[in-house]
Amino acid sequence: MPRIDPDQPLRASDAIDHDKLHRLGFATAAVAALGRVSSTAGFVLSIEGPWGSGKTSALSMMEQLIRTEKPDESVIVHFNPWLIGERDSLLRQFLHSVSAAINLEDHADDAKRVSKELLNYAEVFDFLKWLPGAEPWASIVKNLLKSAGKATGGVADQKSRDIAAQKDKLEKVLAKFNKKIYVFVDDVDRLFPAEVFEMVRIIKAVGHLPNIGYIVAWDPEYIRLALKSAAIPHAVSYIDKIVQVRLPVPAISSSARLQLLNDGIASLPAEATTPRFRNQEERLRALYFHGLRDLLEQPRDVTRVMNTLSVIEPALRGEVVFADILGLACLMVRAPRVYDALRRNPALFTPANSSHTGDKKKNQEEHRKATELLYATTGNPKAVRELMDHLFPANAQASGRFANRSANDVEGHLAAPSRLNIALSMAIGSTDVSLVDARRYLYQPAERLGIEARITAANCLGFLELLGDLAKVVSENEILDLTELCLSIARVVDRPPMSTSSSERRFFSLPAESLAINAIRQLVASNGTRNAKEIAFAIACDPLALTVASEILWHSLATQHEEGDIVCSPSRKKAAAIKLAENATAAVEDGTLWLKCNPSRVLWTIMRVCSEASAKNLFSVAKRNDPDLDQFALHFLKHSFSSDGGQAYALPDDVAFRRMVNLRTFVAHAKRRLDNSQLDYPLRAAWRSVVEGRPLYGFNGSDARH
């Protein structure tokens, strides 16, 4: 049975140890702000973010920090108004909760006095269930008494004096209390609007009591609308008067998003990610950049999508490529109305002939309007459009947009009619990277080497992704050394820690070269695309950027390209191939090729793009420098990767491998290497795969065919 993630927040006992969102710095800063709690004044701090953004987990981290750093100087109180269920009881229950927590955690006389005075303070409101702090006391009391048909005058005045006197006594005992009281208030944004108003009034009324700090978690937009419905003018200003410090929960970082995705996929059965279709891994990487990344805005989005994926994937296993099943799950969760439209009218997104008949321009406009109305019902229309265009290329064409490739039944694409029919027949519905460093890297050439030195293995891929995001907003001619910048981005891929960051394969370990080319493409696009092919040629010929150069020449093999693609022009492709072969052969000669980010891509590109003479020459140099050819084998024979077996090895799935190696000679060499009893895995698996003519897993040499 698939595992369903219960989507539980972190626990205060070990929240920091399980922080996958890299928010320890945020929690530390929030706790530091609580230093403003004093014996003369209270303090209100709000942790703000939309539903599912991790507010409760942030509270747990803060609590753990407080308990760890100041265990004998603080009292922790938890109050969840959502569990009270009675609007009129909120204040009384709030004060009782604080009193009970103090009494429970501290049995000293001072604590007992504070607890007692809190209870007394609560009791003075029972008579009229009246809440102080929002309006002049006497007028409220008089109005309530009047509405009950009772005399005003002295009774109201006496009640006001009783409340004031009790509040004064409470403030005095709190001021003498030798501990800080931290009240964590969660789930305010789960209340009905009227209850929200009551809770905000409570915070306003008691927020200035000495030695008490209030940490409130809520969605500020929901709170604003709730106050607005209660006829509170200028709701945002009203909140600002109550809360001294408002801290938005940090957006989920690129590295955290990838970690959550990887962890979610790793929790699936091994069979779910077994390669079954051609280009399966490439399809998964492309999905990330075509809507998935932008739709998974909050941690809970990832959890919900993964839960849905775990339910629908078994029914589609082997029928639809894994990436498209994940895309479908994302659609169900993040754009349910679009998914419902797909189920009811799949022809809208899979028109048989995207050009239609009659007035093509008119038809495209009508299709665009129909789909845009659907996308507008989602929280992120642009990302949903990008996801739909990726999953259903004909949908993009029908609206007059460019489609990178067509639906491929053999590769298990969801948009292929046979695959879509299967999918729709299911009975199932609906380490942070420095932004400052990234900007300086784009605009300050002199600082680039220093910034590269600060990149770590944990954030290097996120750094490249952030460069691509920033490149989208670069103005034309704003980058004064565009070609040099693009060369720097290409070169950094082949330097540590970038070149060693992808040694451990994971489901969403996005290749550094893909991220680099995406950043370069965005930079070129922001500058009008006119230099795209010149920059591509410069990188392809650069001896310090072999991995990205190989990626560029690999993509240059395609017969059609979108404007602005980083590919060599047909007239210069041969010259670039010659230069790549020379540079790679020199790297084999000095042993540096095996230290590059993706030696496999370099070897395979030379095998396919360069002349046979160049390919065989590189092989000869490799054998001269390493007669055993072990490093060559580990990279040249890299095959598929799966969750249960890891990296597999086999001869490249391309007859072009014969242009680099003589099969008979290579097999004979493999047999000689296997005669060495000291040869261990994965090398033994690599050489065995050549002799046995089948893919084998590197960790134990078991059969990798499925």
Side-chain angles (χ1 to χ4, degrees):
M1 290 293 292
R3 183 178 70 85
I4 303 297
D5 194 317
D7 189 23
Q8 294 298 314
L10 300 180
R11 299 172 302 178
S13 58
D14 56 1
I16 295 173
D17 295 335
H18 294 88
D19 173 31
K20 295 181 179 180
L21 302 180
H22 315 304
R23 289 179 174 171
L24 176 58
F26 170 79
T28 302
V31 170
L34 292 175
R36 292 170 63 176
V37 176
S38 70
S39 60
T40 58
F43 181 71
V44 181
L45 179 148
S46 62
I47 304 297
E48 303 185 349
W51 181 81
S53 59
K55 298 186 295 295
T56 301
S57 294
L59 294 188
S60 295
M61 294 177 69
M62 292 176 63
E63 180 178 345
Q64 185 180 358
L65 286 171
I66 292 171
R67 290 190 183 278
T68 302
E69 296 172 0
K70 301 177 180 180
D72 300 323
E73 302 173 24
S74 58
V75 174
I76 302 294
V77 181
H78 291 279
F79 182 70
N80 193 319
W82 190 59
L83 300 177
I84 303 303
E86 185 182 347
R87 173 184 167 187
D88 291 337
S89 300
L90 278 174
L91 174 63
R92 186 168 63 255
Q93 290 293 338
F94 177 79
L95 294 172
H96 275 261
S97 295
V98 178
S99 171
I102 294 172
N103 214 11
L104 182 66
E105 292 201 18
D106 193 330
H107 301 293
D109 290 341
D110 285 346
K112 291 179 180 179
R113 278 192 289 273
V114 170
S115 178
K116 178 182 177 182
E117 294 304 333
L118 279 165
L119 292 177
N120 291 338
Y121 191 46
E123 288 174 3
V124 298
F125 302 115
D126 283 348
F127 174 60
L128 295 172
K129 296 180 180 178
W130 176 77
L131 174 65
E135 300 177 44
W137 294 2
S139 63
I140 293 179
V141 176
K142 288 178 181 178
N143 288 336
L144 288 170
L145 289 170
K146 192 173 182 180
S147 64
K150 298 183 179 181
T152 57
V155 175
D157 293 336
Q158 181 61 46
K159 189 63 180 177
S160 296
R161 285 194 294 271
D162 290 345
I163 294 171
Q166 187 56 53
K167 184 178 181 183
D168 184 60
K169 290 176 64 178
L170 175 60
E171 288 177 341
K172 288 179 179 178
V173 296
L174 280 171
K176 295 179 181 179
F177 192 43
N178 62 353
K179 292 187 177 183
K180 298 292 185 289
I181 303 167
Y182 300 105
V183 184
F184 288 85
V185 184
D186 200 1
D187 289 335
V188 178
D189 45 15
R190 288 193 183 191
L191 301 173
F192 290 112
E195 294 169 329
V196 169
F197 180 44
E198 291 298 324
M199 194 64 231
V200 171
R201 293 176 73 192
I202 289 173
I203 295 169
K204 186 177 188 297
V206 299
H208 297 292
L209 291 175
N211 272 331
I212 303 184
Y214 304 87
I215 305 95
V216 187
W218 58 28
D219 179 346
E221 180 61 15
Y222 180 80
I223 301 302
R224 183 187 69 80
L225 294 174
L227 293 177
K228 184 178 180 181
S229 71
I232 300 297
H234 310 296
V236 174
S237 300
Y238 188 81
I239 296 173
D240 288 337
K241 291 178 181 178
I242 298 170
V243 181
Q244 280 76 58
V245 173
R246 301 177 63 179
L247 294 179
V249 172
I252 182 172
S253 68
S254 299
S255 57
R257 183 190 292 108
L258 285 173
Q259 183 176 353
L260 292 176
L261 279 168
N262 281 321
D263 290 347
I265 296 176
S267 71
L268 299 173
E271 297 82 3
T273 54
T274 298
R276 293 182 173 85
F277 297 97
R278 187 177 61 197
N279 298 319
Q280 181 165 319
E281 292 184 42
E282 181 185 68
R283 184 76 170 171
L284 191 60
R285 291 194 296 268
L287 175 73
Y288 180 78
F289 289 111
H290 288 84
L292 182 70
R293 176 183 64 166
D294 295 325
L295 283 172
L296 301 181
E297 299 174 296
Q298 304 298 342
R300 188 165 293 164
D301 296 335
V302 180
T303 300
R304 294 174 65 215
V305 168
M306 286 299 155
N307 283 343
T308 301
L309 175 66
S310 70
V311 174
I312 69 174
E313 184 277 329
L316 300 179
R317 188 178 300 163
E319 301 291 349
V320 178
V321 68
F322 178 80
D324 286 23
I325 303 174
L326 175 56
L328 188 65
C330 186
L331 200 61
M332 290 177 172
V333 172
R334 300 292 288 133
R337 292 186 65 176
V338 176
Y339 172 70
D340 187 56
L342 173 65
R343 291 191 66 193
R344 289 184 288 104
N345 183 20
L348 177 64
F349 303 99
T350 58
N353 184 354
S354 60
S355 63
H356 301 287
T357 57
D359 190 333
K360 179 179 177 180
K361 189 173 182 180
K362 179 181 178 182
N363 288 331
Q364 288 179 342
E365 181 63 18
E366 289 176 351
H367 184 273
R368 187 190 64 78
K369 286 182 178 179
T371 52
E372 291 296 327
L373 283 173
L374 276 172
Y375 302 153
T377 65
T378 69
N380 193 332
K382 182 180 178 182
V384 173
R385 181 197 308 117
E386 193 166 2
L387 176 63
M388 293 301 290
D389 285 356
H390 172 69
L391 294 175
F392 302 97
N395 176 66
Q397 295 168 352
S399 292
R401 294 188 293 272
F402 175 80
N404 190 37
R405 57 191 302 182
S406 58
N408 190 321
D409 181 79
V410 175
E411 295 186 6
H413 292 182
L414 180 67
S418 60
R419 309 290 173 179
L420 186 59
N421 288 338
I422 294 170
L424 296 184
S425 66
M426 294 185 305
I428 302 172
S430 344
T431 307
D432 299 340
V433 180
S434 168
L435 181 63
V436 174
D437 274 354
R439 288 189 61 83
R440 286 177 177 168
Y441 193 88
L442 294 182
Y443 296 107
Q444 304 293 332
E447 296 189 32
R448 285 174 193 154
L449 287 178
I451 292 170
E452 289 176 14
R454 293 196 292 274
I455 297 173
T456 68
N459 68 17
C460 58
L461 297 182
F463 179 76
L464 286 176
E465 187 175 3
L466 188 54
L467 288 181
D469 290 340
L470 289 174
K472 295 177 183 178
V473 297
V474 169
S475 301
E476 189 170 357
N477 300 322
E478 194 174 1
I479 303 294
L480 301 180
D481 65 333
L482 180 62
T483 299
E484 283 302 314
L485 171 58
C486 293
L487 280 168
S488 294
I489 294 172
R491 289 167 180 166
V492 77
V493 169
D494 277 340
R495 296 176 186 152
M498 203 81 69
S499 60
T500 57
S501 65
S502 59
S503 57
E504 180 186 354
R505 291 283 303 277
R506 298 198 72 191
F507 303 106
F508 266 100
S509 57
L510 298 174
E513 60 269 30
S514 297
L515 291 168
I517 287 181
N518 178 65
I520 293 168
R521 189 182 190 282
Q522 295 295 344
L523 282 167
V524 172
S526 296
N527 281 269
T529 74
R530 60 185 177 277
N531 296 320
K533 288 183 170 56
E534 287 297 320
I535 289 174
F537 182 76
I539 296 172
C541 296
D542 192 89
L544 301 179
L546 289 180
T547 298
V548 175
S550 299
E551 192 78 3
I552 287 172
L553 278 170
W554 186 279
H555 288 298
S556 297
L557 288 173
T559 55
Q560 291 185 338
H561 300 104
E562 187 178 356
E563 184 181 358
D565 279 350
I566 308 302
V567 294
C568 293
S569 62
S571 62
R572 308 186 77 177
K573 193 186 306 180
K574 183 177 180 180
I578 292 172
K579 195 64 180 174
L580 173 67
E582 292 176 356
N583 293 335
T585 303
V588 171
E589 185 77 60
D590 62 23
T592 58
L593 178 64
W594 319 122
L595 303 176
K596 303 299 183 183
C597 181
N598 194 342
S600 301
R601 174 61 83 193
V602 178
L603 294 174
W604 297 338
T605 301
I606 291 173
M607 173 186 78
R608 291 193 64 192
V609 176
C610 300
S611 68
E612 184 171 345
S614 296
K616 288 191 180 301
N617 180 56
L618 183 146
F619 178 78
S620 298
V621 172
K623 189 169 184 180
R624 185 172 67 242
N625 281 267
D626 175 21
D628 290 336
L629 284 173
D630 287 345
Q631 283 293 334
F632 177 86
L634 284 176
H635 295 288
F636 186 66
L637 299 175
K638 267 191 176 181
H639 191 58
S640 59
F641 179 86
S642 69
S643 59
D644 52 348
Q647 182 65 57
Y649 295 88
L651 282 167
D653 188 18
D654 190 330
V655 294
F657 77 83
R658 298 173 185 270
R659 303 175 74 238
M660 180 169 282
V661 300
N662 179 286
L663 181 58
R664 183 187 303 175
T665 304
F666 202 52
V667 171
H669 179 86
K671 289 178 179 178
R672 288 194 295 273
R673 292 298 296 133
L674 292 172
D675 288 339
N676 183 350
S677 60
Q678 302 299 314
L679 194 68
D680 204 357
Y681 294 100
L683 262 174
R684 180 165 289 276
W687 287 121
R688 276 183 54 203
S689 73
V690 176
V691 174
E692 298 175 22
R694 61 193 178 109
L696 301 175
Y697 284 124
F699 80 101
N700 67 355
S702 59
D703 195 340
R705 292 178 300 188
H706 294 282

